[in-house]
């Protein structure tokens, strides 16, 4: 039986520049640093190997090649809701609805 999962290929562009001009891309354990980043969805693929091939090609493109280790392949089941609890936005120490946090 065919794998029911699809594979999403993402890229994170990190927005925070440290005082010394550097950008933190990965944490000490090698995982992707998650703090103030923009995510781009490059594609949805039928199998992980195809997603990996597209990742390798994207690493050579302008912009992506500046952050070559900031890709992520995420498996996902079709027709599965990923936002079941909603969300809120924090703006300068307040929720998007104006409440202090």
């Amino acid at each position: 039986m065919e794998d029911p999962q699809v594979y999403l290929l993402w890229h994170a562009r990190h927005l925070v520049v440290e005082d010394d001009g550097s950008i933190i891309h990965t944490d000490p354990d090698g995982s992707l640093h998650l703090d103030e980043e923009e995510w781009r969805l490059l594609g949805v693929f039928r199998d992980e190997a195809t997603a990996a091939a597209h990742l390798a090609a994207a690493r050579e493109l302008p912009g992506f090649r500046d952050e070559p280790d900031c890709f992520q392949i995420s498996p996902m089941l079709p027709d599965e809701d990923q936002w079941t609890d909603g969300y809120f936005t924090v703006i300068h120490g307040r929720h998007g609805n104006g409440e202090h946090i």
Side-chain angles (χ1 to χ4, degrees), residues 50-66:
T50 303
H54 283 268
L55 184 159
R59 276 190 168 137
E60 304 301 318
L61 297 174
F64 296 118
R65 68 178 161 228
D66 297 331

Side-chain angles (χ1 to χ4, degrees), residues 15-38:
L15 303 174
V16 176
V17 178
E18 301 296 315
D19 291 337
D20 66 0
S22 66
I23 297 174
I24 299 172
H25 299 283
T26 56
D27 289 331
D29 67 359
S31 64
L32 195 59
H33 183 70
L34 301 177
D35 180 32
E36 301 292 328
E37 66 278 341
E38 289 180 340

